[in-house]
Amino acid sequence: APAKMTDGVLTNTAGMTLYTFDKDEGGKSACNGPCAANWPPLMAGADAKAAGEWSIVTRDDGAKQWAYKGKPVYLWAKDQKPGDKTGDGFNNVWHVVK
């Protein structure tokens, strides 16, 4: 899998917290351009395969992004180290994945 549960929160393989964006609908990412600079998508490689709760969505620029339970997942640029969750609740639309 592209991620793991760490202390009850979904993280990437390096232990960095993953987030979902409330404005994403229908399995499509609404976070592009400057948004994606702050909230880097968890990218999926060309050979990545959907499995279990994990699926792959195509971004506006054609790149592939991981989605968990149908929701694209992102990192937060301001998290400095594994375990940081400084993006949780940001603008009331970003949430850690529990």
Side-chain angles (χ1 to χ4, degrees):
K4 60 188 179 179
M5 281 289 178
T6 306
D7 296 328
V9 172
L10 200 67
T11 67
N12 71 358
T13 50
M16 299 301 288
T17 301
L18 293 170
Y19 301 86
T20 56
F21 185 34
D22 286 350
K23 294 184 178 175
D24 288 349
E25 290 183 349
K28 180 168 164 46
S29 172
C31 181
N32 296 287
C35 176
N38 287 323
W39 300 92
L42 183 64
M43 302 309 289
D47 57 349
K49 302 255 189 304
E53 302 280 18
W54 290 95
S55 57
I56 298 167
V57 299
T58 302
R59 297 181 52 74
D60 283 359
D61 62 4
K64 305 289 189 194
Q65 178 178 3
W66 285 108
Y68 182 69
K69 296 184 177 176
K71 298 221 37 138
V73 291
Y74 307 84
L75 298 154
W76 170 227
K78 295 198 167 90
D79 280 350
Q80 301 290 313
K81 62 188 185 302
D84 282 0
K85 300 192 268 292
T86 63
D88 193 25
F90 189 84
N91 283 351
N92 294 318
V93 292
W94 291 94
H95 308 285
V96 297
V97 185
K98 294 187 168 82

